[in-house]
Amino acid sequence: MSEPKAPTPAPGDTYKGWLFKWTNYIKGYQRRWFVLSNGLLSYYRTQAEMGHTCRGTINLATANIAVEDSCNFVISNGGTQTYHLKASSEVERQRWITALELAKAKAFRMQAESDDSGDDSTPPATGQGAGSRNSEVQSTLRTLGSKVEDLSTCNDLIAKHGSALQRSLSELEGVRLGGETSEKIRQVTERATLFRITSNAMINACRDFLALAQTHSKRWQKALQAEREQRVRLEETLEQLAKQHNHLERAFRGATVLPASQSNPAIDSKGPVSGKGDASDEDEENEFFDACEDVQEFITVPADPKYHRRSGSNVSGISSELGMDDGTTSLDEQSLASNPESPQSQELVPVRKRRTRIPDKPNYSLNLWSIMKNCIGKELSKIPMPVNFNEPLSMLQRLSEDLEYYELLDRAAKCQSSLEQMCYVAAFTVSSYSTTVHRTGKPFNPLLGETFELDRVQESGYRSLCEQVSHHPPAAAHHAISERGWTLRQEIALASKFRGKYLSIMPLGSIHCIFEKSTNHYTWKKVTTTVHNIIVGKLWIDQSGEIDVVNHKTGDRCHLKFAPYSYFSRDVARKVTGVVTDKDGKAHYVLSGTWDEKMEYSRVMQSSRRGENGADGRQKTVYQTLKAKELWRKTPLPEGAENMYYFSTLALTLNELEEGVAPTDSRRRPDQRLMEQGRWEEANAEKQRLEEKQRTVRREREREANRAASPSEEGKESADGAEEVEIASEPSETTYKSGHQDNYKSMWFEQLVDPVTGEPTHIYKGGYWEAKEQGNWDSCPDIF
């Protein structure tokens, strides 16, 4: 049960509340009542113990306070006492840190018994701003010290001249009136004049000191008030964001607890605090909760030891449950596709040495806001972008990068069990995102009719062809076929939105993978890609959403969930979880990992429903699984990739010139080539020329179509406008399926109704590779 929210602490206040204190590895964190008063932090088992039993006290005057993460912090007084504490939320942790810092400063002042020690109540600042503030303070102190010295000097002079004046007056009293009278009176007058001058100097010095002190006092008061108001605003904003984030995560996200064999909190590098995720024994204080965590969709626990023994001694017995033959090599026995020691990898001997470097990316500055401020709310393909935001690859080449880990499909083609095959296909869908983690550059929008071939038959056994089949909306068709028994095809239209702070890219269309031997036909769709910090800050990319990989022959399904990045979540970043089920909904494998690093699988031996309902009102599924094994791991980037647009080894070769490719191939695109060579100004000019040429060709094509069909030109423009408004306002599958507006007939693909999904899609009709062998490109349009 949660406690009422405590007010923001003020200096000198007694602060009380519940915190979770680390006890040991068996019980983990336990809920304790903490009281902060008079520079002492004490804790009790319950509020009722405050009157008679204190469990521990630490003096903050000599204590060190350190923040570990969003909810955890540590208080230590030099080794004899250390408290590892955890708040229920980041907002609550910040309130405690503020209260502790204020109490520590006050305790230090009381201990030092010095007025000047009040400066220690201000937390030490860091960075250039702190240096400038320290310099200003030192200059002010020097000025004030100089004025104090002036006052001291004036005081000495006043004392000296005052004494002399007193003596002169005494002598005047003892002198008889006579010739000496005028001389004594003159001396007294001189002494009085000197005293008056010195007094005026002291008065002026005091006035200057007072004016200076008042001026700086007002400045400091304003600065302090501004800092206080800013802190309050930040706390309120953070609290609002935490509430919104918690609400959204409870609605859309789930988490997976890995088997105990996969994570041991006792060995974690963070020490005892890292045990926060451990499922400790419940006792009378089992009120542990975490406002930042989300409700888990399912839980995985280690299977009974009998299953492990069975898997080691009788693998074929388990395999038979999955419809596998005794001679079938199971996932447990197969090595990783990326393992260089595997026989398959040894077979793939390159016959051509391909490039491993491209020219380093130039460091050109650009005012981003001046370009972006007029683009908010527009569809990305309609925004004229300079090449400064691009990388020297086209969207067709980026689409071909989905084949980076084609070995997963090679292995899937060898599987006799459709469920095992599903695991490899699911890993392949995740692997296609691994190249995007650092790739913040925008690929070139392909011109209508532009193509890209990737012929790797001799090296890897597959060849791939992409063509831009539509420009409004932008859509590309892709077809890849392998000699090892699989075919991959897709038509992807990218609907994108610029929202000011971030850019969302929503792929529309389905991806198909067909295996020749088993005739299994898989389909899935892509998740949403989001580019954050478009205006301010460092760009970073996130993938979020859900993917359903469906085997249309057997009914098997794999539901993958890409968890969006969360500042408040203590889960691993870029997390992906999934469950492989058969047509009856029975789970056979659990997948887990990250889309930028690796994927693992665990065989499900038994599943059950937990008796109590979760916070969302649904029962949780508990899967008993065998030890997780690695299914796929990302290949490290080549050396110096940070200077080469973070390209992978495959991406570095995509724009390499090759003989015999079509005249419409992306490798022949001049603006892209100029950008790769670092000639960005020329690339921008060439890009504008190509775009204007494409617009001219499109207008001519529309005029020819209008003359042939004799429709109303006004009606045609109205229809186009309505379609574009729909795309720009809310991209959707309905918009994508409604048809293309370019009146363009693809060279190598034809639009048909997909027999599996029922969607209109472009399917490869053949002829490209034959034309390449003959060197006959006469039918290709002149787009460059």
Side-chain angles (χ1 to χ4, degrees):
M1 88 185 252
S2 60
E3 294 297 324
K5 192 168 291 184
T8 302
D13 288 350
T14 298
Y15 196 58
K16 306 175 183 179
W18 290 103
L19 289 172
F20 297 97
K21 180 179 179 295
W22 175 264
T23 55
N24 53 52
Y25 286 105
I26 297 177
K27 291 190 175 182
Y29 281 98
Q30 296 296 319
R31 200 160 177 253
R32 298 289 183 257
W33 179 256
F34 280 80
V35 177
L36 175 60
S37 180
N38 297 325
L40 301 176
L41 180 65
S42 308
Y43 74 92
Y44 309 86
R45 198 179 283 270
T46 62
Q47 290 178 263
E49 285 188 347
M50 290 180 60
H52 53 83
T53 305
C54 178
R55 300 288 175 173
T57 301
I58 190 168
N59 187 354
L60 296 178
T62 58
N64 180 44
I65 304 169
V67 177
E68 288 206 327
D69 56 28
S70 59
C71 296
N72 294 55
F73 59 99
V74 179
I75 304 175
S76 175
N77 63 356
T80 58
Q81 286 179 297
T82 300
Y83 293 170
H84 296 269
L85 305 177
K86 175 179 178 180
S88 60
S89 67
E90 186 170 7
V91 176
E92 185 64 20
R93 184 218 67 188
Q94 188 56 45
R95 286 176 172 155
W96 272 102
I97 293 296
T98 303
L100 291 168
E101 291 287 359
L102 293 174
K104 176 182 176 181
K106 185 176 180 181
F108 187 82
R109 288 197 303 270
M110 294 173 62
Q111 189 180 52
E113 294 182 355
S114 172
D115 294 338
D116 294 337
S117 65
D119 294 337
D120 296 334
S121 63
T122 303
T126 58
Q128 297 180 351
S132 62
R133 289 194 294 271
N134 290 336
S135 176
E136 181 182 356
V137 170
Q138 294 298 328
S139 175
T140 303
L141 290 177
R142 285 195 297 269
T143 304
L144 292 176
S146 175
K147 293 298 181 182
V148 170
E149 291 178 1
D150 292 345
L151 290 176
S152 178
T153 302
C154 291
N155 180 67
D156 294 339
L157 290 174
I158 287 174
K160 177 182 177 181
H161 293 304
S163 299
L165 181 60
Q166 184 64 39
R167 287 195 303 271
S168 297
L169 291 176
S170 298
E171 292 173 359
L172 183 60
E173 291 177 355
V175 173
R176 297 177 181 178
L177 295 175
E180 296 180 353
T181 302
S182 59
E183 182 63 23
K184 294 296 182 181
I185 291 175
R186 186 183 63 79
Q187 290 180 4
V188 170
T189 302
E190 291 176 357
R191 300 293 184 184
T193 301
L194 289 174
F195 188 85
R196 178 174 56 81
I197 294 173
T198 306
S199 298
N200 288 337
M202 182 176 183
I203 292 172
N204 292 333
C206 290
R207 185 183 295 112
D208 293 340
F209 180 88
L210 182 60
L212 184 62
Q214 287 177 342
T215 301
H216 284 280
S217 176
K218 291 178 180 179
R219 286 183 57 194
W220 289 336
Q221 285 180 355
K222 290 181 180 179
L224 180 60
Q225 183 64 25
E227 290 290 336
R228 286 176 176 171
E229 292 175 355
Q230 185 178 11
R231 180 175 62 85
V232 171
R233 286 195 300 269
L234 288 175
E235 286 182 353
E236 292 174 351
T237 303
L238 184 61
E239 188 171 356
Q240 262 188 346
L241 289 174
K243 288 179 179 178
Q244 294 174 3
H245 179 82
N246 188 38
H247 174 72
L248 290 174
E249 284 196 334
R250 287 187 180 279
F252 296 108
R253 286 196 55 209
T256 305
V257 179
L258 292 176
S261 60
Q262 295 301 300
S263 60
N264 185 357
I267 309 177
D268 194 273
S269 60
K270 288 189 178 181
V273 183
S274 65
K276 55 187 174 291
D278 202 17
S280 59
D281 296 336
E282 296 185 359
D283 56 8
E284 71 278 6
E285 295 169 344
N286 57 359
E287 297 175 315
F288 183 91
F289 68 96
D290 193 340
C292 300
E293 292 291 345
D294 205 357
V295 179
Q296 301 165 5
E297 285 190 342
F298 59 85
I299 301 174
T300 61
V301 296
D304 191 275
K306 66 181 181 181
Y307 292 119
H308 292 271
R309 290 195 298 271
R310 182 183 178 188
S311 65
S313 60
N314 187 17
V315 176
S316 62
I318 299 175
S319 301
S320 63
E321 297 177 4
L322 304 177
M324 296 167 54
D325 297 333
D326 292 344
T328 303
T329 303
S330 68
L331 282 170
D332 300 273
E333 296 172 331
Q334 291 181 357
S335 61
L336 290 176
S338 58
N339 186 356
E341 301 297 327
S342 64
Q344 179 182 348
S345 298
Q346 294 176 0
E347 294 173 3
L348 305 180
V349 180
V351 296
R352 170 182 174 177
K353 183 176 178 61
R354 300 190 180 274
R355 68 180 185 180
T356 58
R357 288 198 61 84
I358 61 174
D360 287 353
K361 177 182 179 181
N363 186 19
Y364 290 134
S365 60
L366 182 68
N367 188 348
L368 180 63
W369 177 244
S370 64
I371 297 173
M372 287 295 189
K373 63 182 179 180
N374 296 322
C375 302
I376 297 175
K378 293 183 179 179
E379 209 272 329
L380 186 62
S381 63
K382 304 183 188 303
I383 299 175
M385 289 285 188
V387 299
N388 303 60
F389 299 109
N390 289 46
E391 62 180 19
L393 289 178
S394 74
M395 183 60 71
L396 301 181
Q397 291 165 314
R398 284 291 291 269
L399 201 59
S400 300
E401 283 189 70
D402 285 357
L403 299 170
E404 177 95 23
Y405 298 96
Y406 66 92
E407 301 99 333
L408 292 170
L409 296 182
D410 289 348
R411 289 187 173 272
K414 297 179 180 180
C415 294
Q416 295 186 14
S417 166
S418 62
L419 293 166
E420 283 192 9
Q421 192 175 74
M422 175 66 81
C423 291
Y424 280 113
V425 174
F428 176 76
T429 66
V430 176
S431 70
S432 64
Y433 296 99
S434 63
T435 61
T436 66
V437 62
H438 299 297
R439 302 274 289 276
T440 56
K442 172 184 174 294
F444 280 78
N445 287 334
L447 302 174
L448 188 61
E450 185 175 336
T451 61
F452 178 74
E453 71 163 66
L454 186 63
D455 192 348
R456 295 288 192 269
V457 171
Q458 294 181 335
E459 302 155 80
S460 307
Y462 72 87
R463 54 177 30 164
S464 162
L465 176 65
C466 293
E467 181 182 358
Q468 186 77 358
V469 295
S470 173
H471 191 67
H472 288 290
H478 180 208
H479 182 271
I481 187 168
S482 172
E483 295 179 340
R484 300 189 175 115
W486 55 264
T487 301
L488 184 76
R489 61 178 174 86
Q490 57 182 318
E491 180 180 352
I492 298 297
L494 295 180
S496 46
K497 274 291 189 168
F498 176 62
R499 298 294 189 183
K501 292 183 180 179
Y502 63 90
L503 175 68
S504 294
I505 303 171
M506 295 146 286
L508 308 175
S510 298
I511 305 171
H512 298 253
C513 185
I514 305 99
F515 293 94
E516 180 181 346
K517 183 178 179 180
S518 62
T519 67
N520 287 330
H521 190 143
Y522 297 86
T523 63
W524 66 91
K525 298 179 184 293
K526 289 181 174 286
V527 296
T528 298
T529 300
T530 306
V531 184
H532 295 270
N533 294 341
I534 292 293
I535 299 299
V536 179
K538 183 179 180 180
L539 293 174
W540 60 278
I541 290 179
D542 193 23
Q543 312 285 352
S544 60
E546 299 181 5
I547 293 178
D548 280 313
V549 185
V550 181
N551 185 338
H552 292 274
K553 178 182 176 182
T554 64
D556 300 338
R557 181 181 297 266
C558 178
H559 181 74
L560 293 171
K561 188 164 188 176
F562 289 65
Y565 175 79
S566 169
Y567 176 78
F568 299 99
S569 175
R570 289 181 295 275
D571 257 338
V572 62
R574 308 179 184 97
K575 184 176 181 180
V576 180
T577 57
V579 179
V580 176
T581 58
D582 58 23
K583 63 180 180 179
D584 299 320
K586 179 183 177 182
H588 291 266
Y589 291 98
V590 171
L591 305 181
S592 62
T594 59
W595 55 262
D596 68 323
E597 183 180 1
K598 66 177 181 178
M599 286 296 292
E600 296 176 336
Y601 73 96
S602 303
R603 190 191 301 275
V604 176
M605 309 311 300
Q606 189 175 349
S607 63
S608 60
R609 290 280 185 179
R610 176 176 286 187
E612 67 273 15
N613 290 341
D616 58 353
R618 295 182 299 176
Q619 289 183 322
K620 300 175 184 177
T621 303
V622 180
Y623 296 120
Q624 292 187 26
T625 63
L626 297 181
K627 183 179 179 181
K629 293 183 180 294
E630 198 170 81
L631 187 61
W632 158 78
R633 178 177 288 274
K634 179 185 177 182
T635 304
L637 293 175
E639 184 179 357
E642 65 278 3
N643 300 321
M644 299 184 293
Y645 307 90
Y646 289 96
F647 281 178
S648 64
T649 303
L650 174 63
L652 289 173
T653 67
L654 293 180
N655 208 41
E656 186 176 10
L657 288 172
E658 294 185 13
E659 294 182 0
V661 298
T664 55
D665 196 274
S666 298
R667 299 176 180 88
R668 300 183 183 274
R669 182 164 175 167
D671 54 347
Q672 189 171 295
R673 180 68 54 189
L674 289 169
M675 182 190 178
E676 182 185 281
Q677 295 170 353
R679 299 154 64 182
W680 284 17
E681 291 186 4
E682 298 174 61
N684 277 320
E686 190 65 23
K687 183 173 181 287
Q688 292 181 8
R689 182 190 69 81
L690 290 175
E691 290 173 350
E692 183 57 36
K693 179 179 180 180
Q694 180 174 236
R695 283 190 287 267
T696 302
V697 171
R698 183 190 179 195
R699 286 193 293 266
E700 180 61 30
R701 190 165 50 245
E702 288 176 347
R703 281 194 293 268
E704 292 178 359
N706 289 336
R707 284 195 297 267
S710 299
S712 169
E713 185 70 23
E714 181 179 353
K716 178 67 173 63
E717 292 177 356
S718 176
D720 281 352
E723 176 101 9
E724 291 181 3
V725 168
E726 183 180 5
I727 295 170
S729 60
E730 193 63 37
S732 65
E733 288 282 0
T734 304
T735 301
Y736 168 63
K737 296 174 186 177
S738 62
H740 306 300
Q741 307 171 24
D742 299 296
N743 298 312
Y744 170 75
K745 185 177 181 181
S746 170
M747 284 289 301
W748 312 112
F749 293 80
E750 59 181 342
Q751 190 172 26
L752 302 172
V753 175
D754 190 276
V756 175
T757 63
E759 301 173 353
T761 185
H762 281 80
I763 299 177
Y764 178 61
K765 62 183 179 181
Y768 179 86
W769 304 108
E770 293 78 7
K772 181 180 179 181
E773 290 178 3
Q774 300 170 7
N776 181 13
W777 303 114
D778 295 339
S779 58
C780 291
D782 177 19
I783 60 174
F784 299 142

